[in-house]
Amino acid sequence: MQPMIAVRMRAVSKRYPSSGVVANDAAELEVVRGSIHAIVGENGAGKTTLMKLLAGLETPDSGTIEVDGARTAIDSPARAFELGIGMVHQHFLMFDELSVAQNVFFGIEPIKGRWPLKKLGIVDSATLETHTKKLANAYGFTLNPAAPVGKMSISERQQVEILRQLARDVRILILDEPTSALTEQETRALFEKLDEIRRAGHTIILVTHKLNEIKRIADRVTVMRLGKTIGTYDVSSISESDLSCLIMGTSSCKDTDRASTRQPSGEVVFQIEGLATKSRAHGRLSLEGISLEVRRGEILGICALAGNGLEQLEDALSAFLGPSRGVCHVETQRFELGRIRDYRALIRTGKIAYLPSDKMRRGAALSLSVRDNFIAPRRRAYFRRGIFRAGSAQRATAQAIAEFDIAARPDQRADELSGGNLQKLSLSRIFSASQASILILCEPTWGLDIKATESIHERITAARDAGAAILLLSSDIDEILALSDRISVLFRGRQVLLKEKNPDLNRATLGEFLLGTRSER
């Protein structure tokens, strides 16, 4: 008996005239009802755009979409909901000041009273929380309906997003990079929940770049490249190596899980002592007693779950936030971090190279061109006696675009670029300049595909081997383990681990420190 097909997309194309980008080029997708189906590909492969077409966030230029065997047009998210399709985005869309129940049933809340009293629109809070609890229990989620979402962990917020879709009777659930910021324990728990949701009769589509997770959870996988569908495969019959080759379009692939070769570390060139910061909102200490040092030729990886201090540490190290106290040593110079003007000058002059985690707000001026963004840290180099050397700036930008495989033109506006290409643009500024002795790299491969991630990892390790001292702030545990020589973990603003990498420091043990169930400090 032939399996029932939940989604069939045939010869679907999507082009963006303003940039000339063809996101989907006669793409194909077939998803079996009641299965977990993964979609993989490089940045720009078209996988997220294809899912946006299915979720009604974009409309296709051509092609057909069938849902449960019936051909249909999906021209809005409302129409997608009518068809039982919902999407959980990588960056959650919720109201932090509202409760779990209010977020889950936002817009479809139970109203008090009978007609005509219902016209008053007064929300029945008790029924709202009861419905939320029943829904959570039905799918094995343990959430407090009254808890404010803004104080929750990433994994809990993700559960709220999933429940919001299920509350709307979604039968086809799309998840975009669902484990990008989860620990091993949280990932395992999520997969157990997804399996329960699948057993309840739902179809799940995962957009992901983690091949090992595809092998753990998915039934079938579709590979996309340059907007086209390369093929769909049974997960049980294809290896991670073969998947990697298909994604990158090569006949032989590098082993991305290779052990790094290490050079002996040199002298300490960057040191922080007793760093403490105050929360902007409440004035309480958000980081307390953070001390660390980085040697020449070393990568210190620092990781934490959301809300545990990684963002505040970035603010302090990048001089966006003045710490309440702390001392910093940069080579032979000493700085009181409470007085950040002199320290900030090290970043402005390029002695410290800083890659922000937020490429949209800190890493790019979206209203300016790709060229203007690329030359921004070194504008003086492109002015001679007050005259702009436009040709030189254009050539340098074009060279960076080619070298970093950025899908853009020098004169194109930055806000027309995808998130992955904005990331590459920010990285190109760091690695195209003369190398700084200290690099502060925050979420350097967030949103990048396998090929781009491997390339950036090679650049980071090359900078390390050339003598740079590197602070790597990342919520990606796999990245921390792949690159770091020493690893630090923050929990609730305190350092609970600072240790050289060794075979005992794996995803599971790091997860214990990240969740606060273990401490060595």
Side-chain angles (χ1 to χ4, degrees), residues 353-379:
Y354 164 55
L355 177 75
S357 60
D358 190 337
K359 307 307 180 290
M360 303 291 282
R361 290 188 293 179
R362 289 188 185 176
L366 297 178
S367 62
L368 300 182
S369 68
V370 171
R371 182 199 66 188
D372 289 345
N373 273 275
F374 175 73
I375 69 170
R378 297 173 289 143
R379 283 186 65 82

PDB file of all heavy atoms in Angstrom, residues 353-379:
ATOM      1  N   ALA A 353      39.735  42.843  17.580  1.00  0.00           N
ATOM      2  CA  ALA A 353      38.736  42.643  16.530  1.00  0.00           C
ATOM      3  C   ALA A 353      37.501  42.022  17.158  1.00  0.00           C
ATOM      4  O   ALA A 353      37.593  40.989  17.829  1.00  0.00           O
ATOM      5  CB  ALA A 353      39.287  41.749  15.432  1.00  0.00           C
ATOM      6  N   TYR A 354      36.350  42.652  16.936  1.00  0.00           N
ATOM      7  CA  TYR A 354      35.105  42.206  17.577  1.00  0.00           C
ATOM      8  C   TYR A 354      34.075  41.848  16.520  1.00  0.00           C
ATOM      9  O   TYR A 354      33.745  42.653  15.652  1.00  0.00           O
ATOM     10  CB  TYR A 354      34.573  43.322  18.483  1.00  0.00           C
ATOM     11  CG  TYR A 354      33.127  43.179  18.902  1.00  0.00           C
ATOM     12  CD1 TYR A 354      32.657  42.028  19.540  1.00  0.00           C
ATOM     13  CD2 TYR A 354      32.221  44.228  18.678  1.00  0.00           C
ATOM     14  CE1 TYR A 354      31.331  41.914  19.925  1.00  0.00           C
ATOM     15  CE2 TYR A 354      30.891  44.118  19.068  1.00  0.00           C
ATOM     16  CZ  TYR A 354      30.451  42.964  19.683  1.00  0.00           C
ATOM     17  OH  TYR A 354      29.144  42.844  20.058  1.00  0.00           O
ATOM     18  N   LEU A 355      33.567  40.618  16.601  1.00  0.00           N
ATOM     19  CA  LEU A 355      32.485  40.160  15.733  1.00  0.00           C
ATOM     20  C   LEU A 355      31.226  40.033  16.580  1.00  0.00           C
ATOM     21  O   LEU A 355      31.137  39.172  17.457  1.00  0.00           O
ATOM     22  CB  LEU A 355      32.822  38.797  15.121  1.00  0.00           C
ATOM     23  CG  LEU A 355      31.733  38.188  14.242  1.00  0.00           C
ATOM     24  CD1 LEU A 355      31.672  38.893  12.896  1.00  0.00           C
ATOM     25  CD2 LEU A 355      31.951  36.691  14.055  1.00  0.00           C
ATOM     26  N   PRO A 356      30.220  40.893  16.377  1.00  0.00           N
ATOM     27  CA  PRO A 356      29.019  40.844  17.221  1.00  0.00           C
ATOM     28  C   PRO A 356      28.126  39.657  16.897  1.00  0.00           C
ATOM     29  O   PRO A 356      28.097  39.175  15.769  1.00  0.00           O
ATOM     30  CB  PRO A 356      28.320  42.166  16.903  1.00  0.00           C
ATOM     31  CG  PRO A 356      28.786  42.533  15.538  1.00  0.00           C
ATOM     32  CD  PRO A 356      30.177  41.992  15.407  1.00  0.00           C
ATOM     33  N   SER A 357      27.367  39.207  17.895  1.00  0.00           N
ATOM     34  CA  SER A 357      26.425  38.112  17.673  1.00  0.00           C
ATOM     35  C   SER A 357      25.200  38.591  16.908  1.00  0.00           C
ATOM     36  O   SER A 357      24.601  37.836  16.146  1.00  0.00           O
ATOM     37  CB  SER A 357      25.995  37.506  19.017  1.00  0.00           C
ATOM     38  OG  SER A 357      25.373  38.489  19.829  1.00  0.00           O
ATOM     39  N   ASP A 358      24.816  39.845  17.108  1.00  0.00           N
ATOM     40  CA  ASP A 358      23.645  40.408  16.433  1.00  0.00           C
ATOM     41  C   ASP A 358      24.110  41.118  15.166  1.00  0.00           C
ATOM     42  O   ASP A 358      24.470  42.286  15.187  1.00  0.00           O
ATOM     43  CB  ASP A 358      22.912  41.380  17.356  1.00  0.00           C
ATOM     44  CG  ASP A 358      21.559  41.807  16.795  1.00  0.00           C
ATOM     45  OD1 ASP A 358      21.378  41.723  15.567  1.00  0.00           O
ATOM     46  OD2 ASP A 358      20.693  42.231  17.582  1.00  0.00           O
ATOM     47  N   LYS A 359      24.104  40.378  14.050  1.00  0.00           N
ATOM     48  CA  LYS A 359      24.623  40.941  12.797  1.00  0.00           C
ATOM     49  C   LYS A 359      23.679  41.982  12.215  1.00  0.00           C
ATOM     50  O   LYS A 359      24.094  42.820  11.422  1.00  0.00           O
ATOM     51  CB  LYS A 359      24.842  39.806  11.774  1.00  0.00           C
ATOM     52  CG  LYS A 359      25.688  38.657  12.287  1.00  0.00           C
ATOM     53  CD  LYS A 359      27.023  39.118  12.853  1.00  0.00           C
ATOM     54  CE  LYS A 359      27.860  37.973  13.375  1.00  0.00           C
ATOM     55  NZ  LYS A 359      27.353  37.348  14.584  1.00  0.00           N
ATOM     56  N   MET A 360      22.397  41.929  12.602  1.00  0.00           N
ATOM     57  CA  MET A 360      21.431  42.869  12.048  1.00  0.00           C
ATOM     58  C   MET A 360      21.577  44.250  12.670  1.00  0.00           C
ATOM     59  O   MET A 360      21.581  45.261  11.981  1.00  0.00           O
ATOM     60  CB  MET A 360      20.011  42.351  12.270  1.00  0.00           C
ATOM     61  CG  MET A 360      19.749  40.976  11.702  1.00  0.00           C
ATOM     62  SD  MET A 360      19.733  40.943   9.895  1.00  0.00           S
ATOM     63  CE  MET A 360      18.107  41.628   9.586  1.00  0.00           C
ATOM     64  N   ARG A 361      21.704  44.303  14.009  1.00  0.00           N
ATOM     65  CA  ARG A 361      21.715  45.602  14.678  1.00  0.00           C
ATOM     66  C   ARG A 361      23.123  46.125  14.933  1.00  0.00           C
ATOM     67  O   ARG A 361      23.370  47.322  14.804  1.00  0.00           O
ATOM     68  CB  ARG A 361      20.955  45.511  16.003  1.00  0.00           C
ATOM     69  CG  ARG A 361      19.449  45.339  15.814  1.00  0.00           C
ATOM     70  CD  ARG A 361      18.702  45.442  17.119  1.00  0.00           C
ATOM     71  NE  ARG A 361      19.008  44.318  18.001  1.00  0.00           N
ATOM     72  CZ  ARG A 361      18.504  44.172  19.225  1.00  0.00           C
ATOM     73  NH1 ARG A 361      17.691  45.100  19.701  1.00  0.00           N
ATOM     74  NH2 ARG A 361      18.797  43.121  19.956  1.00  0.00           N
ATOM     75  N   ARG A 362      24.053  45.234  15.272  1.00  0.00           N
ATOM     76  CA  ARG A 362      25.414  45.683  15.564  1.00  0.00           C
ATOM     77  C   ARG A 362      26.382  45.442  14.419  1.00  0.00           C
ATOM     78  O   ARG A 362      27.374  46.143  14.290  1.00  0.00           O
ATOM     79  CB  ARG A 362      25.953  44.978  16.811  1.00  0.00           C
ATOM     80  CG  ARG A 362      25.314  45.428  18.095  1.00  0.00           C
ATOM     81  CD  ARG A 362      26.054  44.830  19.279  1.00  0.00           C
ATOM     82  NE  ARG A 362      25.387  45.164  20.521  1.00  0.00           N
ATOM     83  CZ  ARG A 362      25.778  44.708  21.712  1.00  0.00           C
ATOM     84  NH1 ARG A 362      26.828  43.901  21.792  1.00  0.00           N
ATOM     85  NH2 ARG A 362      25.118  45.055  22.805  1.00  0.00           N
ATOM     86  N   GLY A 363      26.102  44.428  13.627  1.00  0.00           N
ATOM     87  CA  GLY A 363      27.074  44.011  12.628  1.00  0.00           C
ATOM     88  C   GLY A 363      26.903  44.644  11.267  1.00  0.00           C
ATOM     89  O   GLY A 363      27.755  44.472  10.394  1.00  0.00           O
ATOM     90  N   ALA A 364      25.812  45.381  11.046  1.00  0.00           N
ATOM     91  CA  ALA A 364      25.578  45.939   9.714  1.00  0.00           C
ATOM     92  C   ALA A 364      24.737  47.202   9.802  1.00  0.00           C
ATOM     93  O   ALA A 364      23.893  47.345  10.689  1.00  0.00           O
ATOM     94  CB  ALA A 364      24.879  44.905   8.818  1.00  0.00           C
ATOM     95  N   ALA A 365      25.006  48.124   8.873  1.00  0.00           N
ATOM     96  CA  ALA A 365      24.135  49.277   8.652  1.00  0.00           C
ATOM     97  C   ALA A 365      23.255  48.908   7.471  1.00  0.00           C
ATOM     98  O   ALA A 365      23.682  48.983   6.305  1.00  0.00           O
ATOM     99  CB  ALA A 365      24.955  50.527   8.366  1.00  0.00           C
ATOM    100  N   LEU A 366      22.046  48.452   7.758  1.00  0.00           N
ATOM    101  CA  LEU A 366      21.219  47.803   6.746  1.00  0.00           C
ATOM    102  C   LEU A 366      20.809  48.736   5.611  1.00  0.00           C
ATOM    103  O   LEU A 366      20.539  48.277   4.496  1.00  0.00           O
ATOM    104  CB  LEU A 366      19.977  47.200   7.405  1.00  0.00           C
ATOM    105  CG  LEU A 366      20.251  46.089   8.423  1.00  0.00           C
ATOM    106  CD1 LEU A 366      18.948  45.613   9.052  1.00  0.00           C
ATOM    107  CD2 LEU A 366      20.987  44.919   7.785  1.00  0.00           C
ATOM    108  N   SER A 367      20.764  50.029   5.854  1.00  0.00           N
ATOM    109  CA  SER A 367      20.341  50.958   4.808  1.00  0.00           C
ATOM    110  C   SER A 367      21.475  51.326   3.856  1.00  0.00           C
ATOM    111  O   SER A 367      21.243  51.958   2.824  1.00  0.00           O
ATOM    112  CB  SER A 367      19.776  52.242   5.436  1.00  0.00           C
ATOM    113  OG  SER A 367      20.781  52.899   6.200  1.00  0.00           O
ATOM    114  N   LEU A 368      22.708  50.901   4.177  1.00  0.00           N
ATOM    115  CA  LEU A 368      23.863  51.209   3.331  1.00  0.00           C
ATOM    116  C   LEU A 368      24.191  50.023   2.430  1.00  0.00           C
ATOM    117  O   LEU A 368      23.661  48.928   2.583  1.00  0.00           O
ATOM    118  CB  LEU A 368      25.075  51.567   4.191  1.00  0.00           C
ATOM    119  CG  LEU A 368      24.919  52.784   5.123  1.00  0.00           C
ATOM    120  CD1 LEU A 368      26.211  53.042   5.874  1.00  0.00           C
ATOM    121  CD2 LEU A 368      24.495  54.023   4.337  1.00  0.00           C
ATOM    122  N   SER A 369      25.101  50.253   1.510  1.00  0.00           N
ATOM    123  CA  SER A 369      25.469  49.215   0.552  1.00  0.00           C
ATOM    124  C   SER A 369      26.393  48.187   1.193  1.00  0.00           C
ATOM    125  O   SER A 369      26.979  48.419   2.267  1.00  0.00           O
ATOM    126  CB  SER A 369      26.178  49.837  -0.654  1.00  0.00           C
ATOM    127  OG  SER A 369      27.448  50.353  -0.270  1.00  0.00           O
ATOM    128  N   VAL A 370      26.537  47.053   0.515  1.00  0.00           N
ATOM    129  CA  VAL A 370      27.485  46.026   0.947  1.00  0.00           C
ATOM    130  C   VAL A 370      28.888  46.614   0.997  1.00  0.00           C
ATOM    131  O   VAL A 370      29.648  46.375   1.938  1.00  0.00           O
ATOM    132  CB  VAL A 370      27.424  44.813   0.003  1.00  0.00           C
ATOM    133  CG1 VAL A 370      28.556  43.834   0.289  1.00  0.00           C
ATOM    134  CG2 VAL A 370      26.072  44.113   0.126  1.00  0.00           C
ATOM    135  N   ARG A 371      29.250  47.419  -0.005  1.00  0.00           N
ATOM    136  CA  ARG A 371      30.584  48.045  -0.040  1.00  0.00           C
ATOM    137  C   ARG A 371      30.807  48.930   1.177  1.00  0.00           C
ATOM    138  O   ARG A 371      31.846  48.857   1.841  1.00  0.00           O
ATOM    139  CB  ARG A 371      30.739  48.864  -1.317  1.00  0.00           C
ATOM    140  CG  ARG A 371      32.117  49.524  -1.464  1.00  0.00           C
ATOM    141  CD  ARG A 371      32.073  50.663  -2.463  1.00  0.00           C
ATOM    142  NE  ARG A 371      31.244  51.760  -1.969  1.00  0.00           N
ATOM    143  CZ  ARG A 371      30.903  52.811  -2.692  1.00  0.00           C
ATOM    144  NH1 ARG A 371      31.294  52.902  -3.949  1.00  0.00           N
ATOM    145  NH2 ARG A 371      30.156  53.769  -2.173  1.00  0.00           N
ATOM    146  N   ASP A 372      29.834  49.800   1.498  1.00  0.00           N
ATOM    147  CA  ASP A 372      29.997  50.705   2.627  1.00  0.00           C
ATOM    148  C   ASP A 372      30.084  49.950   3.939  1.00  0.00           C
ATOM    149  O   ASP A 372      30.802  50.354   4.862  1.00  0.00           O
ATOM    150  CB  ASP A 372      28.845  51.706   2.669  1.00  0.00           C
ATOM    151  CG  ASP A 372      28.923  52.728   1.543  1.00  0.00           C
ATOM    152  OD1 ASP A 372      30.000  52.834   0.916  1.00  0.00           O
ATOM    153  OD2 ASP A 372      27.913  53.405   1.280  1.00  0.00           O
ATOM    154  N   ASN A 373      29.357  48.833   4.046  1.00  0.00           N
ATOM    155  CA  ASN A 373      29.458  48.008   5.242  1.00  0.00           C
ATOM    156  C   ASN A 373      30.817  47.334   5.349  1.00  0.00           C
ATOM    157  O   ASN A 373      31.390  47.250   6.436  1.00  0.00           O
ATOM    158  CB  ASN A 373      28.349  46.951   5.247  1.00  0.00           C
ATOM    159  CG  ASN A 373      27.059  47.437   5.861  1.00  0.00           C
ATOM    160  OD1 ASN A 373      26.885  47.379   7.071  1.00  0.00           O
ATOM    161  ND2 ASN A 373      26.166  47.950   5.031  1.00  0.00           N
ATOM    162  N   PHE A 374      31.333  46.878   4.225  1.00  0.00           N
ATOM    163  CA  PHE A 374      32.613  46.168   4.251  1.00  0.00           C
ATOM    164  C   PHE A 374      33.767  47.086   4.658  1.00  0.00           C
ATOM    165  O   PHE A 374      34.632  46.702   5.441  1.00  0.00           O
ATOM    166  CB  PHE A 374      32.895  45.535   2.884  1.00  0.00           C
ATOM    167  CG  PHE A 374      34.248  44.879   2.802  1.00  0.00           C
ATOM    168  CD1 PHE A 374      34.493  43.680   3.459  1.00  0.00           C
ATOM    169  CD2 PHE A 374      35.286  45.466   2.095  1.00  0.00           C
ATOM    170  CE1 PHE A 374      35.741  43.071   3.415  1.00  0.00           C
ATOM    171  CE2 PHE A 374      36.539  44.877   2.043  1.00  0.00           C
ATOM    172  CZ  PHE A 374      36.759  43.671   2.701  1.00  0.00           C
ATOM    173  N   ILE A 375      33.783  48.303   4.152  1.00  0.00           N
ATOM    174  CA  ILE A 375      34.919  49.200   4.416  1.00  0.00           C
ATOM    175  C   ILE A 375      34.754  49.998   5.708  1.00  0.00           C
ATOM    176  O   ILE A 375      35.675  50.713   6.110  1.00  0.00           O
ATOM    177  CB  ILE A 375      35.150  50.179   3.247  1.00  0.00           C
ATOM    178  CG1 ILE A 375      33.999  51.194   3.155  1.00  0.00           C
ATOM    179  CG2 ILE A 375      35.355  49.431   1.938  1.00  0.00           C
ATOM    180  CD1 ILE A 375      34.270  52.334   2.193  1.00  0.00           C
ATOM    181  N   ALA A 376      33.584  49.875   6.371  1.00  0.00           N
ATOM    182  CA  ALA A 376      33.275  50.730   7.527  1.00  0.00           C
ATOM    183  C   ALA A 376      34.383  50.780   8.584  1.00  0.00           C
ATOM    184  O   ALA A 376      34.752  51.875   9.026  1.00  0.00           O
ATOM    185  CB  ALA A 376      31.956  50.299   8.158  1.00  0.00           C
ATOM    186  N   PRO A 377      34.961  49.650   9.020  1.00  0.00           N
ATOM    187  CA  PRO A 377      35.982  49.743  10.068  1.00  0.00           C
ATOM    188  C   PRO A 377      37.289  50.385   9.589  1.00  0.00           C
ATOM    189  O   PRO A 377      38.111  50.778  10.407  1.00  0.00           O
ATOM    190  CB  PRO A 377      36.221  48.274  10.459  1.00  0.00           C
ATOM    191  CG  PRO A 377      35.068  47.521   9.902  1.00  0.00           C
ATOM    192  CD  PRO A 377      34.658  48.254   8.680  1.00  0.00           C
ATOM    193  N   ARG A 378      37.483  50.463   8.268  1.00  0.00           N
ATOM    194  CA  ARG A 378      38.743  50.992   7.722  1.00  0.00           C
ATOM    195  C   ARG A 378      38.490  52.095   6.697  1.00  0.00           C
ATOM    196  O   ARG A 378      39.172  52.187   5.688  1.00  0.00           O
ATOM    197  CB  ARG A 378      39.533  49.842   7.077  1.00  0.00           C
ATOM    198  CG  ARG A 378      39.958  48.757   8.059  1.00  0.00           C
ATOM    199  CD  ARG A 378      40.578  47.581   7.336  1.00  0.00           C
ATOM    200  NE  ARG A 378      39.573  46.826   6.590  1.00  0.00           N
ATOM    201  CZ  ARG A 378      39.788  46.271   5.392  1.00  0.00           C
ATOM    202  NH1 ARG A 378      40.957  46.412   4.801  1.00  0.00           N
ATOM    203  NH2 ARG A 378      38.834  45.590   4.797  1.00  0.00           N
ATOM    204  N   ARG A 379      37.508  52.933   6.989  1.00  0.00           N
ATOM    205  CA  ARG A 379      37.138  53.976   6.016  1.00  0.00           C
ATOM    206  C   ARG A 379      38.310  54.896   5.677  1.00  0.00           C
ATOM    207  O   ARG A 379      38.458  55.329   4.537  1.00  0.00           O
ATOM    208  CB  ARG A 379      35.962  54.800   6.550  1.00  0.00           C
ATOM    209  CG  ARG A 379      34.624  54.100   6.433  1.00  0.00           C
ATOM    210  CD  ARG A 379      33.496  55.008   6.828  1.00  0.00           C
ATOM    211  NE  ARG A 379      33.355  56.149   5.934  1.00  0.00           N
ATOM    212  CZ  ARG A 379      32.722  56.124   4.767  1.00  0.00           C
ATOM    213  NH1 ARG A 379      32.155  54.996   4.347  1.00  0.00           N
ATOM    214  NH2 ARG A 379      32.636  57.195   4.026  1.00  0.00           N
TER     215      ARG A 379
END
